[in-house]
Amino acid sequence: MASNLSDRTIPRRIFLALDVVFLLFIAAVTLYPIIYVVSMSFSDEVAAIQNKVWLLPVNPTLEAYKNVFQYPGLLRSYGNTIFYTIAGTAINIVFTMCAAYPLSRKRFKGRSVFSFLIVFTMLFNGGMIPSYLLVKNLHLLDTRWAILLPGAINTWNMIIMRSFLQQLPEELEEAAKIDGCGDLRLLLQIIIPLSIPSIATITLFYAVAHWNSFFQAMIYLPRAKDLRPLQLILRDIVLQNQTDSMITSASQDVVGLSETIKYATIVVAVAPILCVYPFIQKYFVAGVMVGAVKG
Amino acid sequence: MKTAVSVSAGLRERRWKKTMHEIWRDRVLYFLFLPVIAYYIVFRYAPMYGVVIAFKNFNVYDGIAGSPWVGWANFAQFFKSVYFTRLLKNTLGINLLDILIGFPAPIIFALMLNEIRNVMFKRSIQTISYLPHFISTVVVVGMVVNFLSLSTGIVNNIIEACGGQRVYFLTEPNYFWGIYTTMNVWKGIGWGAIIYIAALAGIDPTLYEAAIIDGAGRWKQTIHVTLPGISTTIVTMFILKIGHLLEVGYESIILMYNPKLYPAADVFSTYIYRVGLASSDPNYSLATAIGLFQSLIGLVLVVIANRLSKKYSEAALW
């Protein structure tokens, strides 16, 4: 918007002041719950149970974190989540590229038919039960593959990737072909290096989704407790009050102790994402924009 | 006559050869695509076949193909049960609230942000606003449940500090829709605003200059330039919303609700989950029938919304 003189009128100034207050309010409402969680996790359990924590930690202590890391299965689930995130994202990227690259080339015959059949799966799907029965019949239930394979391609991400690849000029390919470059070399040495920013974008989309996912694990790993990801353990600690099992006495501060443990667990789960998201958000924004243009 | 036939046959043959030649030339593309075809057949289309159990009395021993057909019995059972109206009411109610509050919220946020000239301030607010999008459902629900807890929740602490009575937020059905909507606005406002912010940035600056020359003030510029500039985006997003009118973010509800909240919180997907997966005596066929009903209505809604939007505006999904 061109800056213009109307910025200096009094009603305009009042509006801008209110606008700034409004936006600061949104920011405060967004941040406060997170600050509160962090403060609770570092607070003394007695202060927490007496509801003395409002903004900053009261009688700071690391007690809750000590207990969190002693929670049975937590470290293991953390390892599982790291595995699912890395292996799952790798599978995602390979499959997504295998779909997006051919579909982005005009010379790929049948691409409109394939595109339709793929987009159709976004509009209509078998649903929760048939998908579950499929995983069960393939004997994938309670295996790591149940987490890695069913979501190997996220159709939306694939379409975003295809749009990115369509933007690469066709001449580039023709020039490489004239120089005697085969399709595979073209993909590996020209297309992929040129698409690093877009691959980074969908990598992050997939990785964050893996890190945060719990529902697949909840239905596909009914018995394999050893394979469960962090989010499921988190659910047990934060939502189901199972912390009681690790505390022997039934005294008053049991509730308080479990309070701070809940918050400390949240911090442990969210910290990696909070640390990286300011640096990766621009890639996400790029992906959302391409999706919007094409959507 | 004879020569004409052989000429066209020759032409067809030559075209066929050319096609085959091109496919062979691009064989790497087709080879790369094979696992993709396999994936979509196995993990996306096979479950669509599995939907037939909605018309069967499925049991594990006979499998999908062997179980006996029962026609529309599962659907009849569902439509006659008390759950049908309850689920429909909750699903539509929650989604209506989402359309009334959750849909405009990012648009208003984007418009308000768009008025700010200070780039640093703008960017900081935007970055903060994305944050909740990256936080997992489990954590967000965990925060909501703990914040609303009767004895130690911060919300009740604040209410008490202001002289009010502590409220049973998570056992009183009347509060559920409000809690759920608030949670989703918190999680989605910044992220949802991204595409509107992009659309706003894409508006041709000369349109504003022309409006200023025509004597339009800020308010008129907003009405005549800004809003028309993002209307296509708004319509597109609205179509997407309509298509999901029977879907609710069931993952968060499954984590949040308890039997006391069922009257307000139970939606199609949560009920499907309870009947088909979380039950000790799962009824796969009934659950699949409910799921099929839900997806079919969803499909019809998307098609209708898309047709309407093609008719009344430029925006359409296909």
Side-chain angles (χ1 to χ4, degrees):
Chain A
M1 244 187 265
S3 73
N4 59 60
L5 292 170
S6 60
D7 268 6
R8 299 196 196 131
T9 63
I10 297 205
R12 179 70 191 158
R13 283 186 179 180
I14 294 174
F15 171 78
L16 281 177
L18 289 176
D19 193 11
V20 169
V21 170
F22 171 79
L23 293 172
L24 286 174
F25 173 75
I26 299 250
V29 169
T30 305
L31 285 180
Y32 179 69
I34 293 155
I35 294 169
Y36 178 77
V37 165
V38 174
S39 298
M40 277 295 270
S41 74
F42 286 109
S43 289
D44 178 59
E45 58 261 28
V46 178
I49 193 187
Q50 290 174 344
N51 298 331
K52 283 183 179 156
V53 182
W54 295 96
L55 184 67
L56 295 174
V58 177
N59 304 332
T61 161
L62 288 173
E63 200 59 33
Y65 286 90
K66 276 185 207 151
N67 287 317
V68 163
F69 285 106
Q70 278 162 13
Y71 189 84
L74 185 107
L75 283 177
R76 196 186 166 87
S77 76
Y78 217 93
N80 284 337
T81 288
I82 292 172
F83 171 78
Y84 293 134
T85 302
I86 293 172
T89 306
I91 292 174
N92 291 145
I93 296 304
V94 171
F95 272 77
T96 302
M97 285 305 284
C98 283
Y101 177 60
L103 288 175
S104 73
R105 301 295 98 181
K106 288 208 180 73
R107 60 200 161 89
F108 183 65
K109 292 191 197 313
R111 66 185 195 127
S112 53
V113 176
F114 286 127
S115 291
F116 172 79
L117 288 173
I118 287 173
V119 171
F120 182 72
T121 63
M122 288 167 77
L123 300 176
F124 183 79
N125 59 65
M128 202 189 290
I129 306 300
S131 304
Y132 168 81
L133 289 177
L134 173 81
V135 170
K136 194 176 172 187
N137 290 338
L138 293 174
H139 301 288
L140 296 179
L141 228 50
D142 287 315
T143 70
R144 292 184 191 274
W145 296 111
I147 305 298
L148 300 175
L149 285 182
I153 299 179
N154 174 313
T155 303
W156 187 248
N157 290 351
M158 195 280 287
I159 290 173
I160 290 173
M161 194 65 224
R162 189 193 63 180
S163 312
F164 275 132
L165 292 173
Q166 272 168 347
Q167 289 163 6
L168 296 177
E170 298 261 330
E171 295 83 30
L172 194 81
E173 207 169 278
E174 285 159 23
K177 282 270 161 85
I178 289 166
D179 291 345
C181 179
D183 257 321
L184 201 59
R185 249 185 76 199
L186 179 76
L187 178 65
L188 295 177
Q189 296 190 347
I190 296 174
I191 304 285
I192 289 181
L194 280 174
S195 324
I196 291 295
S198 27
I199 293 175
T201 301
I202 60 159
T203 302
L204 294 168
F205 270 81
Y206 278 124
V208 170
H210 279 293
W211 187 272
N212 284 340
S213 116
F214 85 97
F215 194 73
Q216 269 198 326
M218 188 168 85
I219 63 176
Y220 293 154
L221 302 176
R223 276 172 299 276
K225 289 211 158 66
D226 283 359
L227 301 180
R228 287 187 179 167
L230 177 64
Q231 298 292 336
L232 271 190
I233 306 294
L234 198 61
R235 179 196 62 160
D236 293 344
I237 298 177
V238 177
L239 287 163
Q240 296 190 337
N241 254 327
Q242 292 192 357
T243 29
D244 301 21
S245 61
M246 57 191 281
I247 298 147
T248 44
S249 74
S251 65
Q252 250 288 306
D253 47 55
V254 165
V255 185
L257 189 57
S258 68
E259 277 306 299
T260 55
I261 287 175
K262 285 181 197 169
Y263 290 101
T265 324
I266 293 179
V267 174
V268 169
V270 173
I273 289 199
L274 286 198
C275 293
V276 293
Y277 107 92
F279 307 102
I280 60 177
Q281 49 139 336
K282 66 171 183 181
Y283 292 106
F284 276 89
V285 173
V288 170
M289 259 129 66
V290 174
V293 172
K294 276 286 135 185
Chain B
M1 190 66 196
K2 203 182 171 190
T3 49
V5 168
S6 69
V7 165
S8 82
L11 201 68
R12 216 180 299 139
E13 195 182 325
R14 230 179 306 152
R15 217 178 271 156
W16 172 251
K17 265 192 177 156
K18 188 169 167 259
T19 309
M20 278 334 231
H21 173 75
E22 280 172 359
I23 289 180
W24 178 248
R25 182 197 65 197
D26 299 333
R27 60 192 176 278
V28 173
L29 292 188
Y30 299 94
F31 181 73
L32 287 175
F33 205 65
L34 283 179
V36 176
I37 295 176
Y39 170 75
Y40 274 97
I41 288 175
V42 173
F43 286 104
R44 299 298 166 103
Y45 278 89
M48 289 190 205
Y49 161 71
V51 159
V52 297
I53 67 169
F55 302 95
K56 292 187 163 207
N57 186 4
F58 177 80
N59 63 75
V60 187
Y61 307 103
D62 295 330
I64 294 174
S67 296
W69 293 96
V70 293
W72 296 93
N74 292 313
F75 293 89
Q77 187 192 340
F78 174 57
F79 292 138
K80 272 187 236 149
S81 75
V82 289
Y83 283 102
F84 176 65
T85 40
R86 177 198 272 188
L87 301 180
L88 193 67
K89 185 193 88 188
N90 290 337
T91 308
L92 291 178
I94 288 171
N95 275 319
L96 216 60
L97 258 188
D98 185 47
I99 286 174
L100 286 176
I101 298 167
F103 184 71
I107 302 175
I108 293 166
F109 177 61
L111 288 170
M112 295 299 258
L113 203 61
N114 192 46
E115 295 296 317
I116 299 292
R117 214 51 54 74
N118 183 325
V119 178
M120 267 295 285
F121 179 70
K122 203 171 169 176
R123 202 165 287 165
S124 314
I125 297 284
Q126 234 186 316
T127 302
I128 291 171
S129 75
Y130 298 151
L131 177 62
H133 176 81
F134 293 90
I135 297 179
S136 74
T137 312
V138 175
V139 169
V140 173
V141 173
M143 292 200 306
V144 169
V145 169
N146 285 296
F147 287 177
L148 295 178
S149 134
L150 186 68
S151 54
T152 54
I154 179 81
V155 176
N156 271 319
N157 294 351
I158 293 171
I159 291 173
E160 200 178 51
C162 297
Q165 285 283 318
R166 289 183 169 266
V167 180
Y168 289 86
F169 283 110
L170 292 165
T171 46
E172 171 56 56
N174 285 335
Y175 297 123
F176 182 77
W177 290 6
I179 292 169
Y180 182 78
T181 306
T182 311
M183 180 182 87
N184 280 333
V185 169
W186 183 79
K187 195 161 165 41
I189 188 168
W191 192 253
I194 291 177
I195 60 163
Y196 298 111
I197 291 167
L200 287 166
I203 295 174
D204 185 354
T206 58
L207 290 176
Y208 287 107
E209 284 159 24
I212 291 164
I213 291 166
D214 289 347
R218 280 292 176 165
W219 181 243
K220 289 216 156 158
Q221 289 175 37
T222 304
I223 297 293
H224 296 290
V225 181
T226 311
L227 283 178
I230 60 170
S231 64
T232 314
T233 312
I234 295 178
V235 171
T236 312
M237 298 314 286
F238 196 73
I239 299 173
L240 285 172
K241 268 258 141 79
I242 296 294
H244 295 130
L245 206 57
L246 285 200
E247 285 168 31
V248 175
Y250 58 90
E251 295 190 0
S252 47
I253 298 186
I254 286 173
L255 290 169
M256 203 186 322
Y257 72 177
N258 55 61
K260 279 193 179 147
L261 289 181
Y262 286 170
D266 219 359
V267 294
F268 287 109
S269 317
T270 56
Y271 187 62
I272 293 169
Y273 170 73
R274 276 213 315 284
V275 170
L277 296 176
S279 158
S280 54
D281 178 25
N283 188 340
Y284 294 129
S285 285
L286 177 61
T288 306
I290 302 169
L292 180 60
F293 167 75
Q294 186 193 15
S295 336
L296 282 179
I297 302 281
L299 183 62
V300 170
L301 287 172
V302 180
V303 172
I304 291 175
N306 195 52
R307 190 157 296 172
L308 284 178
S309 115
K310 245 186 202 164
K311 200 166 168 185
Y312 297 109
S313 80
E314 300 289 299
L317 295 179
W318 66 83

